[in-house]
Amino acid sequence: MLYKMLSICLFFCAYSTAYAQNSYKIKGIVLDANTLQPIEGANIIGDHLFAVSSSKGEFTIEDNKKQTSSFTVSHVGYTTNEFIVTPKNTPERIKIYLKETSTVLNEVKVVGTYHNKDKETPMVTKTVTKKFLNNNRENSLMQTLSKIPGISTINIGSGQSKPVIRGLGFNRVAVVQNGIKHEAQQWGNDHGLEIDQQGIENIQIIKGPASLLFGSDAIAGVVHIQPNKVPLQNSFNGEVNILGESNNDLLGISVGLTSRKEKWFYRTRLTYRDYADYKVPTTKINYENYVFELHNNNLRNTAGREANASVSIVYVNNNIKTETLFSNVNAKNGFFANAHGLEVRTSQIDYDAYNRDIDLPYHNVNHFKISNNTTVNTGNHIFHFDFGFQNNKREEHSEPIPHGYMPKPPNTKERVFTKNTYSLNARDAFNINNKHNVVVGVNLEHQKNTIGGWGFLIPEYSRFTAGAFGYNQYKINENWHILAGARYDYGLLKTSAYNDWFRSTVKNDDDTTSQIYLQRAKNKTLDFKNISASFGVSHTKNNTTYKVNLGKSFRMPLANELASDGVNYHMYRFEKGNLDLKPEVAYQLDLEINHTKKQFSLSVSPFLNLFENYIYLNPTSNYFETLQIYEYTQSKVFRVGGELSASTTVIKNLELSASAEYVYSRQTSGLKKDFTLPFSPPLSGLFSASYKIKDFSIFKSPAINVDYRITAAQEDIVPPEQTTDGYNVLHMSFTSKLNIFKNSAPVDFRLKLNNVLNTTYYNHTSFYRLIDVPEAGRNISVSVTIPF
């Protein structure tokens, strides 16, 4: 059994009180050095003297010899400590501080049953721990997770990114936090994910269709941010995270606190980040045959600020746990000016005046969330209830410039989206017998999205979805498990009519012309319904787990896919929706073989995916006021791919790992038959090495980590996409725990060097790749986490 390695610190003073002529009592309390909470069950052993600490950490020893005595204090999971008592200088109460440690116990025999849920579940899942998140933290949550095979991102500058699972992104990936689907404006290419990654302890990633559990929008997979663990009673702890980066001069700080009495506790966190324009390893950007010079390699107007706050109030006892979360994420980010059209050529803004300026174009995003998660255990049934309200407001500001018949706009607010979402999930988990674990439940969600600004793209809409599901996990024996379930979903989408705020000239049938307010959207009501299902088997034999899962899932069309009808100046094109779109329906076969031994592990996860009617934005040969028209359409799609990962411990302190991921996509019908899909990631491999160094000075458990990513060229594209050359990029880091403060847990320290060789390379799934902007250059980051 392996526990976390922490250092030990002892602080006590001495005092004694005589209670009788021939004896005296030694009183004390044993505390956790990190949380300062009492430790129950600690053994205090001296010469023929013995005591065990109570639930309050207290102990009493009666000593008849009245002589100097030495005592040893021990507890499983803590470093052993010693103290000496002298009769004449014995304190009234001795305080003993123990620190957690790593202890290896030989020949431990466990009586009982251990359930590994990941092995029993046929779906391909990956659990991401707090340790992984801390050691691999990047500028956004999804960039942090991109080291996991099968996970990639659509990056928007240095501070934002969107999740992509096996080549599918946008609303095909559901991001779930504490049981509630994160609802923002995730349909846009340049819309990031408004979630504070600080303080997250555990994430489960489901690769493959998960509509059975989470409904529409989980057709490609789920990033499930799970609740943090419940703290010990009568505990208080916190941490301060400090981050600095050289490439974009980032400064960030995050403070988290947790406190619990008996049945009530709270968690709270404040985070602030401020960063400047990031640097790229080039001095020129060529866009639409126009060359933009970069000052000091700064990608102008990519600076940003972010301020986040959250607080959770929790009640827990033997039968019920209820947690209410209030959170707010606010960000202001600039966009590389040249990414939003060529008007910047005539702009009066001096984008190189100061690298921390946030000039036009930029966006403001505020995401406010209230959620409640309640679990009630009645013995035979466990009921789960999730309630949520989310308000997402996004403002996109651009320079007011006339376009076509549109006169110069009155202000900089090009688009404003305000989305309110109400969510309710309820499920009942119960066991028919020791073989069947059954879950039944319902999901309800209502959205209302209003619009503003002078640049129309999508109409106002409301959406209501309702789903009912049930599944059964059947345990054949300890090594064989079956999961089977079905789900029915119904959705209703209402769009509102919209007319331009300016007149356009149109030609009449009699060759005359008229000045009219063009109608961009109509009052329309559409409903969708479908059935999802899943069947899978998992089998464990010795050190190997085999999984097979077949799933059918679906996704409702979004308002932008159905009813967009306007210029997207951010993408320099005209986008047109299609009211005849049908829900996406997909079938997927997932396999996984996972072999794990003490010093070696190997995992293979292939998949086969068929879409009956994949929805995508197709470029046409038509133009609107010199802008190419893109129309939403559907086609059948065949996809196949998978991930491979392996790790081994070569010598005691050296661990090597390697992974690879690949996706092949082909449209088998429609206007782009025999082409791939947009934003298809290329073949990629990651080689990592971690070497643990001996402790020195204040550095404890130091380690050097090296990551070397090799990515193939992406020449399989959908015009007008451009091909992307392959690249190799090297990252290095040094991690350690620092013993700086007495009577306190060590400080976590990380020094990371990204893009060590300052390589010029292009990420095929990056938003700025569309205009030939390379990824960020060399970056040195320093991260310090101070617990208290």
Side-chain angles (χ1 to χ4, degrees):
M1 184 182 297
L2 184 63
Y3 298 88
K4 291 187 299 182
M5 174 76 64
L6 292 174
S7 57
I8 176 171
C9 180
L10 169 67
F11 171 77
F12 70 92
C13 44
Y15 177 86
S16 108
T17 303
Y19 290 89
Q21 182 178 358
N22 296 321
S23 68
Y24 73 99
K25 292 182 179 180
I26 303 169
K27 294 184 177 181
I29 183 170
V30 183
L31 302 172
D32 186 302
N34 182 26
T35 65
L36 301 182
Q37 298 308 306
I39 298 175
E40 180 181 1
N43 296 316
I44 301 92
I45 303 174
D47 186 14
H48 303 292
L49 300 172
F50 176 78
V52 178
S53 61
S54 68
S55 61
K56 296 182 179 180
E58 299 172 340
F59 66 90
T60 301
I61 300 174
E62 187 168 339
D63 186 359
N64 295 319
K65 295 184 178 182
K66 298 181 64 176
Q67 64 183 24
T68 300
S69 303
S70 175
F71 294 87
T72 300
V73 184
S74 63
H75 190 282
V76 174
Y78 290 87
T79 299
T80 300
N81 201 0
E82 294 182 355
F83 67 95
I84 298 174
V85 174
T86 304
K88 293 183 180 181
N89 298 296
T90 303
E92 183 178 355
R93 189 171 75 160
I94 301 170
K95 290 185 179 180
I96 301 164
Y97 299 92
L98 297 184
K99 285 207 170 185
E100 290 180 290
T101 186
S102 235
T103 306
V104 178
L105 302 179
N106 295 322
E107 299 183 10
V108 176
K109 186 175 291 185
V110 179
V111 179
T113 303
Y114 170 72
H115 295 285
N116 189 325
K117 295 300 182 182
D118 282 345
K119 289 185 177 182
E120 294 178 3
T121 303
M123 292 183 294
V124 180
T125 63
K126 171 68 177 178
T127 298
V128 182
T129 64
K130 183 178 180 181
K131 180 180 178 181
F132 177 94
L133 294 170
N134 289 339
N135 289 341
N136 297 279
R137 197 175 303 282
E138 298 292 345
N139 281 328
S140 68
L141 175 61
M142 290 314 306
Q143 288 173 338
T144 299
L145 298 178
S146 62
K147 190 175 178 180
I148 298 171
I151 307 299
S152 55
T153 62
I154 297 175
N155 296 329
I156 310 105
S158 62
Q160 308 168 77
S161 60
K162 302 173 69 67
V164 176
I165 297 180
R166 291 173 165 174
L168 299 178
F170 302 97
N171 276 61
R172 296 180 181 90
V173 175
V175 179
V176 179
Q177 187 173 28
N178 295 347
I180 301 295
K181 278 198 298 184
H182 183 77
E183 289 292 348
Q185 304 292 340
Q186 58 261 42
W187 52 270
N189 294 62
D190 52 353
H191 302 173
L193 191 64
E194 302 91 9
I195 291 179
D196 184 4
Q197 64 172 325
Q198 296 289 345
I200 296 175
E201 294 182 357
N202 194 7
I203 298 176
Q204 183 189 43
I205 295 176
I206 301 175
K207 293 187 284 188
S211 292
L212 172 65
L213 304 179
F214 298 96
S216 184
D217 299 346
I219 197 169
V222 176
V223 178
H224 190 185
I225 303 169
Q226 300 181 332
N228 291 348
K229 63 183 180 181
V230 176
L232 298 174
Q233 290 186 352
N234 301 308
S235 64
F236 174 83
N237 57 75
E239 65 177 22
V240 178
N241 309 97
I242 302 173
L243 175 65
E245 296 190 355
S246 65
N247 182 279
N248 60 351
D249 298 331
L250 180 144
L251 294 173
I253 185 170
S254 182
V255 181
L257 299 174
T258 301
S259 178
R260 178 179 177 183
K261 294 299 184 182
E262 297 293 331
K263 297 180 180 180
W264 289 91
F265 70 89
Y266 72 86
R267 283 188 275 252
T268 185
R269 179 167 290 273
L270 297 173
T271 300
Y272 182 77
R273 289 155 43 93
D274 189 297
Y275 52 91
D277 300 341
Y278 73 93
K279 298 178 178 63
V280 292
T282 185
T283 58
K284 297 179 181 180
I285 301 295
N286 189 326
Y287 175 45
E288 295 286 339
N289 296 319
Y290 187 86
V291 177
F292 296 92
E293 301 284 345
L294 300 183
H295 179 67
N296 292 333
N297 298 95
N298 288 322
L299 196 65
R300 56 179 61 148
N301 204 45
T302 55
R305 293 188 295 271
E306 182 179 329
N308 311 319
S310 67
V311 60
S312 291
I313 302 172
V314 189
Y315 174 82
V316 60
N317 64 19
N318 293 333
N319 299 317
I320 186 172
K321 177 193 173 188
T322 180
E323 176 172 359
T324 303
L325 167 70
F326 301 86
S327 71
N328 195 79
V329 174
N330 183 275
K332 181 178 181 180
N333 309 94
F335 289 111
F336 175 48
N338 315 121
H340 286 212
L342 295 175
E343 290 83 0
V344 70
R345 292 177 299 178
T346 59
S347 174
Q348 300 301 311
I349 298 174
D350 183 1
Y351 288 103
D352 299 322
Y354 183 46
N355 66 347
R356 300 195 92 88
D357 284 344
I358 304 176
D359 291 312
L360 298 169
Y362 69 86
H363 72 182
N364 273 327
V365 181
N366 192 87
H367 192 95
F368 175 72
K369 180 186 298 183
I370 303 175
S371 66
N372 175 270
N373 310 105
T374 299
T375 301
V376 181
N377 189 340
T378 64
N380 295 326
H381 294 261
I382 300 177
F383 296 97
H384 301 269
F385 302 96
D386 304 317
F387 306 90
F389 167 73
Q390 299 174 74
N391 172 266
N392 182 274
K393 185 172 183 179
R394 176 185 177 88
E395 294 184 358
E396 298 177 356
H397 292 254
S398 296
E399 286 191 77
I401 296 174
H403 290 276
Y405 293 108
M406 181 183 70
K408 183 177 179 178
N411 53 49
T412 65
K413 286 187 180 181
E414 180 182 351
R415 290 197 290 256
V416 179
F417 304 103
T418 304
K419 185 178 185 179
N420 291 318
T421 304
Y422 302 86
S423 306
L424 168 63
N425 305 321
R427 63 187 186 277
D428 176 19
F430 57 93
N431 295 326
I432 298 177
N433 51 41
N434 61 356
K435 295 286 188 180
H436 295 270
N437 181 16
V438 179
V439 177
V440 295
V442 295
N443 308 113
L444 301 174
E445 186 178 85
H446 174 71
Q447 297 177 10
K448 176 65 176 179
N449 200 356
T450 61
I451 63 172
W454 46 263
F456 175 80
L457 184 57
I458 67 171
E460 292 187 355
Y461 70 88
S462 63
R463 188 175 95 150
F464 172 77
T465 59
F469 66 91
Y471 64 87
N472 179 21
Q473 185 157 331
Y474 175 60
K475 176 183 175 182
I476 301 175
N477 55 44
E478 293 296 331
N479 298 323
W480 287 91
H481 295 83
I482 294 175
L483 178 66
R487 177 188 182 98
Y488 177 79
D489 280 277
Y490 173 80
L492 188 69
L493 182 71
K494 295 182 178 180
T495 61
S496 300
Y498 179 89
N499 289 77
D500 282 341
W501 59 275
F502 57 90
R503 288 187 174 93
S504 297
T505 302
V506 298
K507 188 175 182 179
N508 301 319
D509 293 337
D510 58 359
D511 290 333
T512 62
T513 60
S514 300
Q515 299 283 317
I516 64 171
Y517 296 97
L518 289 178
Q519 186 175 42
R520 298 294 187 183
K522 301 177 181 178
N523 291 318
K524 191 74 176 180
T525 299
L526 300 169
D527 65 319
F528 306 93
K529 45 188 169 291
N530 215 297
I531 294 176
S532 303
S534 179
F535 177 83
V537 179
S538 68
H539 172 57
T540 302
K541 183 177 181 181
N542 298 327
N543 298 310
T544 307
T545 300
Y546 305 88
K547 295 183 179 182
V548 180
N549 190 72
L550 179 63
K552 179 201 175 213
S553 54
F554 90 106
R555 182 181 71 87
M556 286 178 53
L558 305 177
N560 64 303
E561 296 168 331
L562 293 164
S564 60
D565 187 29
V567 176
N568 188 347
Y569 295 107
H570 295 191
M571 304 297 294
Y572 210 59
R573 67 192 182 199
F574 190 98
E575 298 179 6
K576 196 169 183 61
N578 183 352
L579 290 172
D580 295 326
L581 294 177
K582 304 299 181 184
E584 282 184 343
V585 176
Y587 302 88
Q588 183 155 319
L589 174 65
D590 280 288
L591 306 173
E592 184 180 55
I593 301 175
N594 191 310
H595 178 74
T596 303
K597 298 189 74 173
K598 183 177 181 180
Q599 294 183 327
F600 177 77
S601 67
L602 175 67
S603 178
V604 182
S605 307
F607 72 91
L608 179 67
N609 182 208
L610 298 174
F611 275 91
E612 286 187 352
N613 41 16
Y614 184 89
I615 301 173
Y616 71 101
L617 196 58
N618 177 54
T620 71
S621 58
N622 300 320
Y623 284 80
F624 175 86
E625 297 176 0
T626 74
L627 296 175
Q628 188 175 9
I629 296 177
Y630 284 61
E631 294 181 345
Y632 282 99
T633 186
Q634 292 184 284
S635 66
K636 294 182 178 180
V637 172
F638 169 79
R639 302 172 69 247
V640 65
E643 301 84 45
L644 170 68
S645 60
S647 64
T648 183
T649 302
V650 180
I651 57 178
K652 182 179 179 180
N653 295 326
L654 178 61
E655 182 177 340
L656 301 179
S657 62
S659 63
E661 53 192 292
Y662 177 67
V663 176
Y664 172 86
S665 303
R666 191 62 60 210
Q667 298 184 48
T668 59
S669 69
L671 299 173
K672 289 294 190 294
K673 183 180 179 182
D674 297 327
F675 282 98
T676 186
L677 295 176
F679 282 106
S680 291
L683 171 66
S684 181
L686 179 67
F687 299 89
S688 302
S690 178
Y691 183 74
K692 297 179 181 178
I693 311 171
K694 290 183 179 180
D695 294 353
F696 63 97
S697 183
I698 62 172
F699 296 92
K700 307 300 178 183
S701 304
I704 296 175
N705 309 285
V706 179
D707 292 332
Y708 188 64
R709 182 170 290 279
I710 302 176
T711 302
Q714 181 55 287
E715 298 177 347
D716 191 12
I717 59 170
V718 186
E721 263 188 330
Q722 299 296 315
T723 60
T724 304
D725 294 334
Y727 61 86
N728 305 329
V729 62
L730 176 67
H731 308 298
M732 299 180 67
S733 66
F734 171 79
T735 60
S736 180
K737 295 183 179 297
L738 308 180
N739 279 344
I740 299 177
F741 306 107
K742 287 187 176 182
N743 299 330
S744 180
V747 171
D748 286 326
F749 173 80
R750 187 189 71 163
L751 174 66
K752 190 168 185 179
L753 180 57
N754 280 355
N755 195 357
V756 176
L757 304 178
N758 203 34
T759 304
T760 301
Y761 68 100
Y762 297 86
N763 181 353
H764 189 75
T765 61
S766 171
F767 172 67
Y768 287 153
R769 169 67 185 96
L770 300 173
I771 55 171
D772 292 328
V773 174
E775 293 301 297
R778 184 183 295 114
N779 180 42
I780 302 172
S781 65
V782 178
S783 172
V784 178
T785 300
I786 307 170
F788 58 87

